[in-house]
């Protein structure tokens, strides 16, 4: 078959006038209806909503565990191949003359802040503590729960969930979007990444369906992250003395506290999104990176310094050596140990894989948006290796200090007994004593948490509008930015109030499943495009769109 030039035009019908001018009404209105119905259902029929969501969640975690495990393993392999494949690694996400818009510090700060940063303040302490108490090695009798022989295992499993697998899924989405938007001149929206497979058909209903699935997955994935963050934010505000009304009698965030926190976070997020990537989001990302470095520096100097070094370097070695086995192993069987292992994998690993897939359309499109002009190899190293190492550093010293305090008896079970979001505050209270210094550190953590939450939320709102607007950004999106800011806050509030964080988790797992299929197709389309572009270059056929057709910044 004779080689043809690649597809460089993908018209998407948008409204010519009215409130939806410049937006794909098929995508925007359908996505709004789905999200609106979810919120109304959750508020009007909370018991029924919780029951149905839980049933679907259990079905997916039981029957699609194998799918998620192998899909995430495939994403890691594809990223490695693209980085070391010479003809692929040198290709730019853009024209050969394009240069990156952002410097390395801002680029990395935005990447980390939007992609995963908010999770560090909860899970960098909570997850190693959990796995220190129980993990597959303990279940199989290879290590002792809460024993010194289980320390590195706790890190191995923590690194699995927050390391190369997570960031490879983001990178696949980012590469697919950046490659086809900035090299081919196609709209900066999810459907464009499938153009080598479906061609011009993506202008119609097939493309609309892909973008609708991406919008719903994004809202639910970000709601999951905000749900964890809102609970921790309320806990932090109560600790610094904002008011006792923020917590209920059980020591958990009250309904009033949840609503108050969401109003603050989503209000700030909407204002930041209105200012665009180059202003509000960039500066907030830089601020939270500086505060992160300050908090990490404190833990490295005044926490368990040498314990953290061992957790980082030896733990990373254990993780890398065990990675092939961990990403391909599927636990199953009829005996009690096998059942426990399968249950653990479903509630931890498979749940995380669904979370990262749900987060991928938002993070991937955002990464593509800030990475124009970078090579594929540079993108993979920057979007997979560097953020993973930053996560490992957080886990090593935040979680390492917590484990060390419990092992030594200094914590006396206070960290073990705290809520997930409260563990970091309990740890700093032990290190600094319950005085002024501890209060000041709690203020720093609350401010850092808010900047991370705002960065994640405003980036998500901006990306949802970009998808709805057929890949376009601009002032016309302002009313819709406000709408999606309110909608995202409503989803988080509704699901938290009817069933706590568990309701958000179940909705997110359900929303992630259809997009996981889209992501597999994205990876296949990207490999096919790079392979054919190599053959086109050899035949003297252009592989890029004319400069004037590439998406403008």
């Amino acid at each position: 078959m004779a080689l043809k030039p690649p597809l460089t035009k993908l018209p998407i019908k948008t409204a010519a006038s009215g409130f939806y001018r410049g937006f794909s009404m098929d995508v925007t209105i359908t996505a709004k209806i789905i999200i609106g119905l979810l919120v109304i259902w959750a508020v009007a029929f909370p018991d029924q909503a919780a029951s149905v969501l839980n049933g679907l969640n259990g079905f997916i975690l039981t029957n699609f565990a194998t799918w998620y495990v192998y899909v995430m393993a495939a994403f890691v392999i594809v990223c490695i191949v693209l980085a070391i494949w010479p003809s692929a690694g040198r290709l730019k996400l853009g024209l050969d003359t394009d240069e990156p818009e952002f410097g390395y510090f801002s680029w990395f700060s935005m990447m980390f802040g939007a992609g995963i940063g908010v999770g560090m303040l909860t899970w960098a302490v909570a997850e190693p503590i959990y796995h220190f108490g129980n993990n597959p090695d303990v279940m199989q009798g290879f290590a002792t729960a809460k024993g010194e022989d289980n320390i590195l295992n706790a890190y191995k499993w923590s690194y699995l969930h927050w390391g190369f697998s997570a960031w490879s899924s983001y990178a696949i989405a980012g590469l697919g979007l950046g490659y086809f938007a900035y090299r081919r001149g196609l709209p900066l929206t999810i459907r464009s990444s499938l153009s080598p497979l479906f061609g011009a058909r993506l202008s119609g209903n097939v493309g609309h369906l892909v973008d609708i699935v991406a919008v719903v997955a994004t809202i639910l994935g970000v709601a999951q992250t905000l749900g964890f963050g809102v609970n921790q934010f309320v806990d932090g505000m109560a600790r610094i003395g904002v008011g006792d009304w923020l917590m209920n009698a059980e020591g958990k965030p009250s309904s009033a506290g949840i609503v108050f926190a969401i109003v603050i976070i989503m209000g700030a997020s909407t204002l930041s999104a209105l200012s665009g990537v180059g202003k509000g989001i960039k500066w907030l990302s830089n601020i939270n990176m500086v505060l992160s470095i300050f908090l990490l520096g404190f833990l490295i100097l005044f926490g368990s310094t040498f314990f953290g070094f061992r957790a980082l370097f030896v733990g990373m070695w254990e993780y890398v050596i065990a990675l092939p086995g961990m990403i391909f192993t599927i636990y199953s069987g009829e005996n009690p140990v096998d059942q426990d292992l399968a249950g653990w994998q479903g509630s931890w690993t498979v749940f995380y894989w669904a979370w990262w897939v749900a987060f991928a359309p938002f993070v991937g499109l955002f990464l593509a948006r800030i990475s124009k002009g970078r090579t594929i190899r540079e993108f993979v190293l920057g979007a997979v290796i560097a953020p993973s190492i930053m996560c490992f550093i957080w886990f090593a010293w935040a979680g390492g200090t917590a484990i060390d305090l419990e092992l030594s008896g200094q914590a006396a079970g206070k960290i073990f007994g705290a809520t997930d979001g409260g563990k970091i505050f309990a740890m700093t209270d032990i290190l600094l004593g319950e005085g002024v210094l501890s209060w000041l550190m709690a203020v720093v953590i609350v401010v850092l948490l808010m900047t991370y939450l705002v960065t994640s939320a405003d980036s998500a709102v901006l990306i949802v509008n970009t998808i709805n607007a057929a890949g376009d950004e601009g002032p016309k999106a302002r009313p819709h930015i406000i709408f999606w800011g309110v909608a995202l806050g409503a989803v988080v509030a509704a699901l938290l109030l009817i069933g706590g964080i568990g309701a958000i988790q179940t909705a997110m797992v359900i929303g992630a499943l259809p997009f996981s299929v889209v992501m597999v197709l994205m990876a296949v389309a990207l490999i096919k495009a790079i392979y054919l572009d190599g053959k086109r270059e050899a035949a003297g056929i252009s592989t890029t769109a004319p400069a004037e057709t590439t998406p403008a910044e």
Side-chain angles (χ1 to χ4, degrees):
M1 181 182 294
L3 282 172
K4 297 179 181 179
L7 182 71
T8 57
K9 290 184 179 180
L10 188 64
I12 301 173
K13 183 181 177 182
T14 57
S17 61
F19 182 73
Y20 287 100
R21 186 175 68 85
F23 282 77
S24 168
M25 295 180 66
D26 297 284
V27 175
T28 308
I29 294 176
T30 306
K32 285 181 176 180
I33 290 172
I34 293 172
I35 296 299
L37 288 176
L38 175 63
V39 173
I40 293 170
W41 183 41
V43 172
F45 306 100
D47 294 337
Q48 182 192 58
S51 175
V52 173
L53 290 174
N54 286 332
L56 285 172
N57 178 68
F59 175 80
I60 290 171
L61 291 180
T62 301
N63 294 281
F64 289 90
T66 300
W67 165 258
Y68 274 119
V69 169
Y70 286 150
V71 161
M72 293 295 283
F75 293 157
V76 175
I77 293 170
V78 170
C79 284
I80 293 171
V81 169
L82 291 177
I84 64 177
W85 183 3
S87 59
R90 63 177 174 77
L91 293 174
K92 279 189 174 183
L93 301 181
L95 305 179
D96 293 338
T97 55
D98 287 337
E99 295 297 329
E101 178 183 359
F102 302 102
Y104 281 111
F105 184 81
S106 293
W107 182 52
F108 178 71
S109 297
M110 287 190 286
M111 221 169 17
F112 186 75
I116 225 165
V118 64
M120 291 297 95
L121 293 178
T122 300
W123 295 108
V125 178
E127 185 153 349
I129 285 284
Y130 270 114
H131 297 329
F132 182 54
N134 192 34
N135 61 59
D137 293 289
V138 171
M139 294 177 186
Q140 296 173 89
F142 302 147
T144 307
K146 298 183 180 180
E148 292 194 14
D149 62 340
N150 195 38
I151 293 172
L152 293 179
N153 292 324
Y155 279 93
K156 178 178 72 177
W157 293 104
S158 297
Y159 291 169
L160 169 67
H161 297 147
W162 295 81
F164 301 151
S165 300
W167 289 93
S168 291
S169 67
Y170 298 161
I172 291 295
L175 284 171
L177 290 161
Y179 192 87
F180 295 106
Y182 297 130
R183 284 189 69 82
R184 300 276 178 87
L186 301 182
L188 184 60
T189 186
I190 305 298
R191 71 178 77 188
S192 297
S193 63
L194 304 184
S195 58
L197 302 180
F198 299 101
R201 284 176 292 176
L202 290 167
S203 289
N205 290 334
V206 173
H208 298 334
L209 178 61
V210 169
D211 284 347
I212 291 166
V213 166
V215 169
V216 173
T218 296
I219 292 297
L220 295 179
V222 176
Q224 164 74 19
T225 299
L226 293 179
F228 281 124
V230 163
N231 282 336
Q232 189 175 28
F233 186 62
V234 173
D235 195 335
M237 287 195 298
R239 282 175 178 267
I240 62 177
V242 174
D244 294 338
W245 55 274
L246 293 168
M247 308 296 288
N248 59 27
E250 300 173 353
K252 297 179 180 179
S254 65
S255 297
I258 289 171
V259 173
F260 177 68
I262 289 174
V263 168
I264 292 175
I265 292 163
M266 295 314 303
S269 300
T270 304
L271 291 174
S272 177
L274 287 169
S275 71
V277 174
K279 295 180 181 178
I281 295 175
K282 174 183 174 181
W283 286 108
L284 275 172
S285 298
N286 288 344
I287 290 170
N288 62 37
M289 183 57 69
V290 170
L291 290 176
S292 296
I293 292 171
F294 168 78
L295 181 56
L296 272 176
F298 166 78
L299 292 173
I300 291 170
L301 292 175
F302 301 103
S304 301
T305 304
F306 296 106
F307 190 104
F309 271 112
R310 182 170 181 265
L312 176 63
F313 292 106
V314 182
M316 280 179 59
W317 173 256
E318 292 285 334
Y319 162 67
V320 171
I321 293 299
L323 184 61
M326 289 194 295
I327 63 174
F328 283 108
T329 297
I330 298 169
Y331 296 113
S332 63
E334 298 300 325
N335 66 61
V337 172
D338 289 337
Q339 290 292 304
D340 288 344
L341 288 168
W344 185 94
Q345 187 173 49
S347 59
W348 281 99
T349 306
V350 176
F351 166 75
Y352 267 122
W353 291 172
W355 188 1
W356 304 151
V357 166
F359 225 48
F362 142 58
V363 180
L365 204 153
F366 185 73
L367 292 186
R369 168 64 183 80
I370 65 175
S371 301
K372 182 179 179 180
R374 299 196 182 275
T375 66
I376 288 178
R377 183 174 296 111
E378 185 180 18
F379 182 90
V380 170
L381 292 175
V384 177
I385 305 300
S388 294
I389 292 175
M390 178 59 80
C391 289
F392 299 160
I393 291 171
W394 266 102
F395 275 77
W397 272 283
T401 298
I403 290 175
D404 193 32
L405 290 172
E406 289 287 6
L407 271 177
S408 67
Q410 190 174 347
K414 292 180 180 178
I415 301 174
F416 280 128
T419 62
D420 293 336
K423 282 180 168 58
I424 191 169
F425 295 107
M427 180 180 67
T428 54
D429 284 348
I430 294 166
L431 290 174
L432 296 171
E434 296 186 8
V436 175
L437 290 178
S438 179
W439 181 84
L440 289 173
M441 183 58 74
V443 171
V444 169
I445 293 171
V446 169
V447 172
L448 176 57
L449 177 62
M450 182 174 177
T451 60
Y452 271 136
L453 288 169
V454 171
T455 302
S456 294
D458 62 14
S459 302
V461 168
L462 196 63
I463 291 317
V464 164
N465 276 282
T466 301
I467 297 172
N468 288 334
D472 189 21
E473 292 182 83
K476 63 179 176 53
R478 290 181 181 275
H480 300 274
I481 286 175
I482 295 171
F483 171 86
W484 283 109
V486 173
L488 180 55
V491 169
V492 176
L495 292 175
L496 278 179
L497 293 175
I498 69 158
I501 195 65
I504 298 182
Q505 290 174 351
T506 56
M508 180 274 300
V509 169
I510 295 164
L513 183 60
F515 192 72
S516 68
V517 178
V518 174
M519 284 195 63
V520 171
L521 295 176
M522 290 173 75
V524 174
L526 181 64
I527 293 171
K528 179 181 178 180
I530 292 172
Y531 172 72
L532 290 179
D533 279 356
K535 298 186 72 173
R536 289 187 181 104
E537 286 185 351
I541 300 173
S542 175
T543 61
T544 59
E548 64 270 14
T549 66
T550 56
E553 293 302 309

